[in-house]
């Protein structure tokens, strides 16, 4: 069996996360797709968003399929990556919108089939500081994968057209081979106890071996939902605010959104080191920086530099907090329930992304502000305050738990 602590094996663990955000790789091809297929703008956008619907469904089904058919994490990850590769390249040979849309739906099913297992398998095989570091790197791998697949698909588009741009999904087969030969099979680990690092001890009074799912898991799902509502909301609102400040001809928003992605990547890369120093206090640093980001974004009031700083800042702390959520899970549920609780948190993240535009619209209406101009920033002071309130609730809850013990 390959040494799980070798650099190559760790890269193999992380490689499957490289592909999990590749649904966005074809964004640069949408104008060409729209013209070639004779479809509307909304229909073309569905080619990007449809995978997310399937992800939410199969994130739920995946652990159930594992239980019913007694499939190990490694095997279900390999099945998911295979589906991603096969479904991803279908549009290379199709000229029918319905066929391409169905292939994108199947692509999302592949992502959903293995997304939670890519996280829970790390929790099964690694522990303590190494686990925290690997979870941070996994988050960074997602961001790097999104950036790389976007760039590769865009490059292919420039030289060979929109059909060929879907060849980017051939990378899935390279990932599949690398993962298959380097990652150990986890069938033995499924029934073993996951080593605890007591990081979650501040959230729960349980000192005995973990036998059932802690109620704290459900709070973490809600937490994940709220974090992504804020993050995706800022991504969605930035272009409109930039145009409100710079004028209707401004087209430079994508550059700053890409820079935000770099910030998120750095957050994932440095999570392990920061968590090693701060431990559970990492959550306060992350929430504090996110709150500052929201206030800068909200109160820019025509100051473009301040708006951009707010945008660029939010990615880094999100990738401090989201790996921490996954790092807590092994201490809040038994090893055999790790795929299930990981799936629950992923559903929280996916629902947050999906409902973010609607919640932002509700916030505008609640404040009596129009959905245009600088009023697009209206929800973000509320989000900033909510993050501070969440930090205070966590602080006093953990303090009370310590006093009780």
């Amino acid at each position: 069996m390959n040494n799980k602590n070798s650099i190559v094996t760790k890269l193999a663990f992380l490689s499957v996360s490289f592909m999990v955000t590749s649904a966005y790789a074809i964004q640069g091809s949408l104008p060409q797709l729209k013209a070639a297929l004779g479809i509307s703008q909304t229909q073309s956008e569905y080619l990007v968003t449809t995978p997310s619907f399937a992800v939410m469904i199969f994130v739920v089904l995946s652990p159930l399929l594992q239980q019913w058919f007694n499939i190990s994490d490694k095997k279900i990850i390999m099945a998911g990556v295979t589906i991603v590769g096969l479904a991803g390249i279908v549009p290379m040979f199709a000229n029918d919108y319905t066929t391409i849309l169905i292939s994108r739906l199947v692509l999302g099913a592949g992502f959903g089939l293995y997304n939670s297992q890519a996280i829970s398998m790390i929790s099964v095989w690694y522990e303590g500081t190494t686990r925290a570091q690997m979870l941070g790197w996994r988050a960074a791998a997602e961001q790097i994968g999104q950036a790389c697949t976007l760039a590769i698909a865009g490059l292919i588009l420039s030289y060979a057209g929109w059909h060929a741009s879907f060849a980017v999904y051939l990378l899935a087969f390279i990932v599949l081979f690398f993962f298959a030969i380097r990652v150990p099979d986890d069938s033995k680990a499924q029934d073993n106890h996951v080593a605890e690092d007591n990081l979650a001890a501040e959230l729960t009074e349980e000192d005995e071996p973990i036998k059932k799912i802690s109620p704290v898991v459900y709070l973490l799902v809600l937490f994940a939902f709220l974090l992504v509502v804020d993050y995706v909301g800022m991504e969605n609102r930035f272009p409109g605010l930039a145009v409100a400040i710079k004028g209707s001809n401004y087209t430079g928003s994508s550059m700053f959104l890409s820079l935000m992605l770099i910030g998120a990547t750095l957050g994932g890369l440095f999570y392990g080191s920061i968590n090693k120093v701060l431990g559970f206090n990492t959550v306060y640093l992350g929430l504090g920086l996110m709150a500052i980001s929201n206030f800068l974004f909200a109160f820019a009031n025509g100051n473009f530099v301040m708006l951009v700083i707010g945008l660029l800042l939010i990615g880094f702390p999100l990738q401090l907090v989201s790996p921490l959520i996954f790092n807590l899970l092994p201490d809040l549920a038994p090893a055999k329930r790790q795929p299930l609780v990981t799936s629950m948190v992923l559903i929280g993240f996916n629902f947050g992304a999906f409902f973010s535009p609607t919640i932002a619209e509700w916030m505008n209406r609640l404040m009596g502000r129009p959905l245009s101009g600088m009023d697009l920033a209206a929800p973000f002071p509320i989000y900033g305050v909510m993050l501070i309130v969440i930090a205070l609730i966590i602080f006093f809850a953990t303090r009370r738990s310590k006093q009780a013990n």
Side-chain angles (χ1 to χ4, degrees), residues 146-169:
Q146 183 177 343
C148 288
T149 53
L150 267 166
I152 293 169
L155 189 63
I156 297 173
L157 173 69
S158 301
Y159 289 98
W162 70 266
H163 276 297
S165 68
F166 286 88
V168 70
Y169 291 103

Side-chain angles (χ1 to χ4, degrees), residues 46-79:
Y46 270 126
L47 296 175
V48 175
T49 60
T50 292
S52 66
F53 290 100
V55 168
M56 286 189 283
I57 295 170
F58 277 84
V59 156
V60 177
L61 289 179
S62 182
L64 298 177
L65 292 171
Q66 279 191 273
Q67 290 179 15
W68 294 339
F69 298 104
N70 194 28
I71 306 172
S72 68
D73 279 351
K74 180 178 180 179
K75 288 185 175 65
I76 201 141
I77 289 172
M78 291 174 64

Side-chain angles (χ1 to χ4, degrees), residues 103-317:
S103 75
R104 300 294 289 174
L105 192 65
V106 177
L107 178 79
F111 291 139
L113 199 62
Y114 80 83
N115 197 350
S116 61
Q117 283 73 13
I119 300 167
S120 62
M121 198 173 181
I122 290 173
S123 298
V124 167
W125 282 108
Y126 296 95
E127 59 189 72
T129 302
T130 304
R131 186 175 72 203
Q133 185 182 59
M134 285 289 288
L135 288 169
W137 287 354
R138 188 208 63 82
E142 287 191 1
Q143 305 299 325
I144 294 169
Q146 183 177 343
C148 288
T149 53
L150 267 166
I152 293 169
L155 189 63
I156 297 173
L157 173 69
S158 301
Y159 289 98
W162 70 266
H163 276 297
S165 68
F166 286 88
V168 70
Y169 291 103
L170 291 171
L171 288 171
F173 297 109
I174 299 174
V175 167
L176 177 66
F177 178 74
F178 185 34
F179 183 83
I181 64 172
R182 290 299 310 187
V183 171
D185 193 276
D186 57 307
S187 55
K188 290 183 179 180
Q190 294 298 313
D191 297 322
N192 293 344
H193 177 68
V194 175
E196 299 174 41
D197 56 15
N198 296 319
L199 189 62
E202 299 182 54
L203 285 175
T204 177
E205 298 177 17
E206 294 283 341
D207 292 321
E208 300 179 1
I210 304 167
K211 297 179 181 179
K212 61 181 181 179
I213 297 174
S214 168
V216 174
V217 170
Y218 306 106
L219 293 177
L220 292 178
V221 172
L222 178 60
F223 188 24
F225 174 86
L226 294 173
L227 288 174
V228 179
V229 164
D230 182 20
Y231 179 77
V232 173
M234 193 173 289
E235 280 187 304
N236 289 340
R237 293 290 176 94
F238 175 75
L241 287 163
V243 166
I245 296 172
K246 291 285 190 177
S248 59
N249 294 325
Y250 182 72
T251 58
S253 297
S254 59
M255 179 183 68
F256 293 106
L257 290 171
S258 298
L259 289 173
M260 182 184 72
L261 202 61
I262 293 173
T265 302
L266 293 174
L269 290 173
F270 287 107
Y271 166 73
S273 300
I274 294 172
N275 181 70
K276 186 176 181 180
V277 175
L278 298 181
F280 186 77
N281 290 326
T282 305
V283 73
Y284 302 121
L285 174 63
L287 289 173
L289 289 175
M290 284 189 75
I292 292 170
S293 170
N294 276 274
F295 292 136
L296 289 170
F297 196 82
F299 300 121
N301 195 28
N303 187 324
F304 187 70
V305 174
M306 187 172 170
L307 184 77
V308 168
I309 292 173
L311 175 77
L312 298 183
L313 180 58
I314 197 168
F316 184 85

Side-chain angles (χ1 to χ4, degrees), residues 14 16 19 63-64 87 90 100 140 169 179 198 221 304 344 363:
L14 299 172
V16 290
M19 291 300 300
L64 298 177
V90 166
I100 296 174
Y169 291 103
F179 183 83
N198 296 319
V221 172
F304 187 70
M344 290 166 62
M363 291 292 183

Side-chain angles (χ1 to χ4, degrees), residues 26 30 33-34 36-37 39 43-44 46-48 50-51 87-107 162-163 166:
I26 63 157
L30 292 185
L33 275 162
K34 179 183 174 182
L37 300 177
I39 56 178
Q43 286 176 309
S44 69
Y46 270 126
L47 296 175
V48 175
T50 292
I89 63 173
V90 166
M92 291 179 66
F93 315 102
N95 288 294
D96 176 65
Y97 175 73
T98 302
T99 302
I100 296 174
L101 187 66
I102 292 172
S103 75
R104 300 294 289 174
L105 192 65
V106 177
L107 178 79
W162 70 266
H163 276 297
F166 286 88

